[in-house]
Amino acid sequence: MERVIQPPLVDTTACLCRVDAGLKTVAGAKKYVPGTKLCLQPDIKPSIHPTRSKPARGDRSRNQSPLLPGLPDDLAIACLIRVPRAEHRKLRLVCKRWYRLLAGNFFYSLRKNLGIAEEWIYIIKRDRDGKISWHAFDPIYQLWQPLPPVPKEYSEALGFGCAVLSGCHLYLFGGKDPLKGSMRRVIFYSARTNKWHRAPDMLRRRHFFGSCVINNCLYVAGGENEGIHRCLRSAEVYDPNKNRWSFISDMSTAMLPFIGVVYEGKWYLKGLGSHRQVLSEVYQPENDSWFPVYDGMVTGWKNPTASLNGSLYALECKDGCKLRVYDEVTDSWSKHIDSKMHLGNSRALEAAALVPLNGKLCIIRNNMSISLVDVSKSNDVDGATAEHLWETIAGRGQFKTLVTNLWSSLAGRNRLKSHIVHCQVLQA
């Protein structure tokens, strides 16, 4: 009896199976944006007795070689999905069938459903000359992985946004070009194909704005442009299911945000108003409304900040040696998770980002050193006995010893060569 292979239902809005075969550059992918299309399972030869009936006309699988010689395709895929993510770049080079398989949602949906998808840290840096570079870190093998260069429109841009949609698409949007000024440009990188693509432009030119992701939709608000009204109140949202941007309600006051976080389904922003006064607002997506907020959360709120498993965390000391936890009951940042290891106050050691990674909180410093904090176990200890919850990941930018830091400072060699602009986690 013939076995019927049904197309799987995938849990992401983007289907890249149809885009990468012929589009090699950002310019070539100009008309493509991710949308809600059914991602069909690639041509697979079943492992049970093949059909004896004549294949349908145009059936490509009849002349195709197996994915792995000697194995039916479904068993071959069961093997390939278990190959570590670090080797996927090489797998795409083997043949066209392997490339199409690894470019589509089917392959990575299987990895995610089986719990073997891997999260990598992506870091965007700016050097002393203003040039943008970016790096990917594999926390399992503790290695930095090669990446394609950032598209030229963002190689020197200032004040642009960065966010992740569908778990595997890294978006860069807006910002200020040194020559052309404020931009509406939006591009995205796919961790599954290791390529950049073009997405629809934002509705308003802006730079140094706030951004967040709620329910896989990208929100931006405030910021500046170079028109008559430099400080903006406007806000907009990008829905990848509809492939378009839409305006949402304006903020209560024009703002230049410098910190933001999503907490309990709401977007909190803190920044400077038109007269350089400190403002705080919260956006509720369910009723599309903004309103000022003055509670203890925003009063003691510092950057970097991250939300994980319903709790809100912020870094206390400059090098990220202590985590503060927001307590809703007391409306204060009273609880601490202390590493008991203060590294110093140099700009190189300054904590630039705080992101969730595999159920832990990840602290990234400007010297590319990375620490993990297992906050899931923090309820069982107090701040004085929490050192064992901290872990340093070996990689580029290892921690210097106190003696080395001291001599480096005295010798004047501790200048900041580059600093981190954005940090995100992508899964594949």
Side-chain angles (χ1 to χ4, degrees):
M1 181 176 65
E2 180 180 356
R3 180 184 176 187
V4 178
I5 305 287
Q6 297 292 337
L9 296 177
V10 293
D11 53 4
T12 177
T13 60
C15 178
L16 294 181
C17 298
R18 302 180 180 89
V19 65
D20 291 302
L23 305 178
K24 304 300 183 184
T25 64
V26 172
K30 185 174 182 179
K31 295 183 178 180
Y32 171 78
V33 292
T36 52
K37 299 178 180 179
L38 180 64
C39 181
L40 296 179
Q41 182 172 330
D43 299 322
I44 297 177
K45 297 179 180 179
S47 60
I48 303 180
H49 309 292
T51 178
R52 295 182 180 180
S53 60
K54 186 177 180 180
R57 186 176 181 179
D59 184 5
R60 293 177 299 169
S61 64
R62 60 186 175 184
N63 295 322
Q64 287 180 334
S65 300
L67 288 169
L68 288 175
L71 285 180
D73 282 355
D74 50 358
L75 293 183
I77 291 175
C79 296
L80 291 175
I81 62 174
R82 288 166 171 81
V83 175
R85 180 180 172 183
E87 306 298 329
H88 290 186
R89 182 170 54 92
K90 300 175 183 176
L91 296 185
R92 296 189 195 100
L93 302 176
V94 173
C95 63
K96 290 183 178 179
R97 286 202 73 198
W98 284 31
Y99 177 87
R100 287 195 297 266
L101 177 66
L102 269 74
N105 286 349
F106 176 74
F107 183 85
Y108 292 100
S109 292
L110 287 178
R111 284 175 57 84
K112 184 174 181 179
N113 291 337
L114 292 175
I116 56 178
E118 301 173 43
E119 292 184 342
W120 284 8
I121 304 169
Y122 288 74
I123 298 173
I124 298 177
K125 302 189 71 177
R126 188 187 307 278
D127 62 23
R128 281 184 292 196
D129 298 326
K131 301 291 185 181
I132 291 292
S133 62
W134 70 316
H135 316 267
F137 182 72
D138 177 356
I140 296 178
Y141 293 94
Q142 299 182 355
L143 295 173
W144 295 92
Q145 300 295 337
L147 292 170
V150 176
K152 61 180 181 180
E153 56 262 53
Y154 281 98
S155 60
E156 297 183 52
L158 299 170
F160 58 90
C162 179
V164 175
L165 293 179
S166 303
C168 63
H169 294 158
L170 178 74
Y171 281 73
L172 302 183
F173 41 96
K176 183 178 180 180
D177 184 273
L179 299 177
K180 299 179 180 179
S182 297
M183 298 188 295
R184 298 191 300 129
R185 180 68 55 92
V186 182
I187 59 176
F188 72 93
Y189 163 82
S190 171
R192 299 177 176 180
T193 60
N194 200 36
K195 290 183 179 180
W196 287 96
H197 304 280
R198 183 76 182 272
D201 288 349
M202 294 193 301
L203 301 175
R204 187 68 54 86
R205 299 177 186 273
R206 66 181 81 222
H207 58 273
F208 293 117
F209 50 88
S211 65
C212 77
V213 175
I214 302 176
N215 295 329
N216 202 45
C217 289
L218 173 58
Y219 292 82
V220 300
E224 291 183 327
N225 65 14
E226 296 170 322
I228 299 176
H229 304 288
R230 295 199 59 181
C231 198
L232 300 173
R233 291 180 55 199
S234 65
E236 50 191 291
V237 60
Y238 172 67
D239 186 346
N241 293 340
K242 299 177 181 178
N243 301 328
R244 68 170 183 261
W245 290 86
S246 304
F247 281 117
I248 59 176
S249 297
D250 287 353
M251 306 176 71
S252 303
T253 311
M255 182 193 295
L256 190 66
F258 54 76
I259 181 174
V261 70
V262 175
Y263 178 58
E264 294 185 336
K266 302 174 185 176
W267 183 22
Y268 291 83
L269 275 176
K270 191 174 183 179
L272 297 177
S274 303
H275 303 290
R276 315 307 290 175
Q277 74 277 26
V278 177
L279 301 172
S280 300
E281 290 203 28
V282 59
Y283 176 71
Q284 293 182 327
E286 62 271 14
N287 54 17
D288 187 26
S289 62
W290 294 87
F291 56 88
V293 58
Y294 306 102
D295 59 16
M297 193 202 93
V298 298
T299 302
W301 188 14
K302 296 182 180 180
N303 206 20
T305 306
S307 177
L308 178 64
N309 297 329
S311 297
L312 192 60
Y313 302 87
L315 292 176
E316 171 70 19
C317 49
K318 197 170 185 180
D319 58 7
C321 64
K322 185 186 296 185
L323 275 175
R324 297 191 304 158
V325 188
Y326 175 64
D327 186 350
E328 284 189 350
V329 177
T330 61
D331 190 27
S332 65
W333 296 82
S334 54
K335 184 179 178 181
H336 295 79
I337 306 175
D338 199 340
S339 70
K340 299 297 182 181
M341 185 173 67
H342 182 59
L343 303 173
N345 292 315
S346 70
R347 287 288 305 279
L349 291 170
E350 185 176 346
L354 180 66
V355 295
L357 177 71
N358 295 320
K360 300 180 181 180
L361 279 181
C362 184
I363 302 169
I364 301 96
R365 299 174 179 84
N366 280 321
N367 69 345
M368 307 289 271
S369 59
I370 300 172
S371 297
L372 291 178
V373 189
D374 190 354
V375 295
S376 64
K377 301 177 181 178
S378 62
N379 293 329
D380 301 329
V381 299
D382 55 33
T385 59
E387 299 96 316
H388 68 283
L389 302 180
W390 295 67
E391 173 190 2
T392 299
I393 299 179
R396 183 189 298 176
Q398 293 279 352
F399 289 140
K400 298 178 181 178
T401 65
L402 287 175
V403 175
T404 306
N405 274 327
L406 178 61
W407 279 108
S408 180
S409 298
L410 292 175
R413 294 192 298 269
N414 207 20
R415 294 180 299 166
L416 184 65
K417 296 181 179 179
S418 60
H419 66 277
I420 293 174
V421 180
H422 292 291
C423 183
Q424 300 286 350
V425 172
L426 276 72
Q427 186 181 78

